[in-house]
Amino acid sequence: QHNVTSYGVPAFVIVTLETFAGMWINAFIVCVLCIGWVRKKTLNSNEKILLLLGSSRFWCLCISWIFDFLLTIFPYCLLVHPIFQLLQGAYGFFNCSNLWVSACLSVFYCIKIANFRNRFFIYLKVKIDRIVPWLLLGSVIFSLVIGILVYSTIDKAVCKKLNFTCLGGLWKANLSIEEHFYPMYFVIGFLHTISFMAVILAAVFLLFSLWRHKCKMQTNSSNSLSMDAHIRAMKSILSFFIMYSISFMSLILNLAYSTNYQNHVMFLVYLIQNAFPGVHSLILIFSNSKLEKTLLRILSCEKCKVCLR
């Protein structure tokens, strides 16, 4: 996880505004879905994925902000064992969960919406509602492995009596970085690459299916409303694919240059990574009629209150 101490208070203010906006958006998703869960006593597969995704992103942003707050305002608190290790391990868990559940959402949309005559694909379409809980469980397990790996790697490095002299990065290692952190970076990069490949395949298959269906509707002069729905779906998937690609490249750059705390490009990378959970969740809200209506209702009520004042 990168930090903002090298860039001063203005940078921390920018990160705070960005983080709190993302936390509010994801808290909104979680609250709406939980209220619906209490009322209906059940959740469909899409809502299960969105609930876990919103929760992961909320806590990922929350822990990231707590870390930056301590590092900027009370840096010596992080020298107390095991605060630093716990924060980094928790961030690794929720950040990995965010990426993996995002990939699950992309795969779910692909199987649910795309239309192929392949027997295996038809089987997945029929069984997808039963498969979703296992996909989510697998995502949580993979994320937990990453969180434990991050915690244990940092804890071992600390136990090797690293010299805590650089508050920008919390320490200057007296032993080679490769010995402790490169294996961890390789595992994290490998797991994230698998999730990214799943997103690529799901997006390509789904876009191809939607485009083919749109061409058929044009040929058959189908309802324009149905055509608009497919075009909106394609735009949503394409925007998610572009955002996920940018976020993935940012993560790789962060892993590759994680020791370069003075690089302003890395601060931009950090801002992009923090923006992804909020911006993509906002797109998900406007792609879901239930969430969109609730949000617009809340905003209209707030507008009425402001006007009455």
Side-chain angles (χ1 to χ4, degrees):
Q1 181 184 350
H2 207 62
N3 67 74
V4 298
T5 35
S6 303
Y7 309 102
V9 175
F12 177 70
V13 172
I14 293 171
V15 169
T16 298
L17 293 174
E18 182 185 52
T19 302
F20 275 55
M23 287 172 64
W24 186 91
I25 291 167
N26 286 286
F28 168 79
I29 293 175
V30 172
C31 289
V32 171
L33 292 176
C34 286
I35 291 170
W37 190 4
V38 171
R39 288 177 179 173
K40 296 187 302 181
K41 308 295 183 185
T42 185
L43 287 174
N44 60 40
S45 297
N46 183 46
E47 290 172 336
K48 289 174 184 176
I49 298 173
L50 289 177
L51 181 60
L52 184 57
L53 183 61
S55 302
S56 299
R57 288 177 170 175
F58 175 85
W59 287 110
C60 180
L61 290 169
C62 181
I63 291 171
S64 176
W65 183 83
I66 290 172
F67 178 81
D68 286 325
F69 173 77
L70 291 177
L71 201 55
T72 306
I73 310 300
F74 304 109
Y76 289 101
C77 289
L78 295 174
L79 301 181
V80 179
H81 187 276
I83 293 177
F84 179 68
Q85 293 93 315
L86 285 173
L87 286 174
Q88 290 293 307
Y91 178 82
F93 169 73
F94 287 114
N95 187 44
C96 186
S97 178
N98 163 31
L99 293 175
W100 272 93
V101 178
S102 297
C104 288
L105 183 65
S106 185
V107 171
F108 174 78
Y109 282 159
C110 176
I111 295 173
K112 204 74 175 177
I113 299 173
N115 189 17
F116 296 105
R117 294 182 179 179
N118 182 275
R119 287 185 179 180
F120 181 68
F121 190 84
I122 294 171
Y123 173 80
L124 289 177
K125 188 181 282 287
V126 173
K127 298 290 184 179
I128 187 61
D129 290 323
R130 295 183 181 180
I131 295 173
V132 163
W134 293 104
L135 284 175
L136 297 179
L137 179 61
S139 300
V140 171
I141 291 173
F142 274 124
S143 304
L144 188 60
V145 169
I146 290 296
I148 293 172
L149 177 65
V150 171
Y151 178 92
S152 62
T153 301
I154 293 175
D155 196 52
K156 285 178 182 177
V158 171
C159 290
K160 285 282 187 178
K161 296 181 180 180
L162 298 183
N163 183 24
F164 286 83
T165 57
C166 178
L167 291 176
L170 271 187
W171 64 69
K172 289 180 179 177
N174 289 331
L175 56 157
S176 64
I177 292 175
E178 292 89 344
E179 180 184 346
H180 286 280
F181 297 106
Y182 281 179
M184 179 183 73
Y185 290 164
F186 175 79
V187 173
I188 293 173
F190 177 72
L191 291 178
H192 287 345
T193 301
I194 294 175
S195 68
F196 181 58
M197 293 301 296
V199 170
I200 290 177
L201 292 174
V204 168
F205 282 133
L206 187 50
L207 286 171
F208 175 74
S209 176
L210 288 173
W211 180 259
R212 189 177 62 177
H213 192 62
K214 186 178 85 71
C215 292
K216 285 183 180 179
M217 287 192 297
Q218 284 178 329
T219 304
N220 300 329
S221 301
S222 298
N223 189 349
S224 61
L225 290 176
S226 181
M227 178 81 72
D228 291 340
H230 277 77
I231 291 173
R232 283 200 305 270
M234 290 174 67
K235 288 179 179 177
S236 177
I237 294 158
L238 195 57
S239 63
F240 170 57
F241 173 70
I242 293 170
M243 288 173 53
Y244 198 96
S245 301
I246 294 171
S247 178
F248 178 76
M249 293 305 297
S250 300
L251 181 129
I252 297 301
L253 286 172
N254 205 356
L255 290 177
Y257 299 102
S258 58
T259 57
N260 192 353
Y261 291 98
Q262 300 293 335
N263 192 338
H264 292 282
V265 175
M266 291 312 300
F267 179 64
L268 179 61
V269 165
Y270 180 72
L271 290 179
I272 291 172
Q273 281 189 286
N274 263 25
F276 172 70
V279 175
H280 181 241
S281 293
L282 195 61
I283 292 174
L284 291 176
I285 289 173
F286 287 105
S287 301
N288 185 295
S289 57
K290 177 182 175 182
L291 293 173
E292 183 181 10
K293 288 176 183 177
T294 306
L295 179 61
L296 293 176
R297 195 184 310 124
I298 292 172
L299 292 176
S300 62
C301 289
E302 292 298 323
K303 186 178 179 180
C304 291
K305 289 178 183 179
V306 171
C307 291
L308 289 173
R309 290 176 185 175

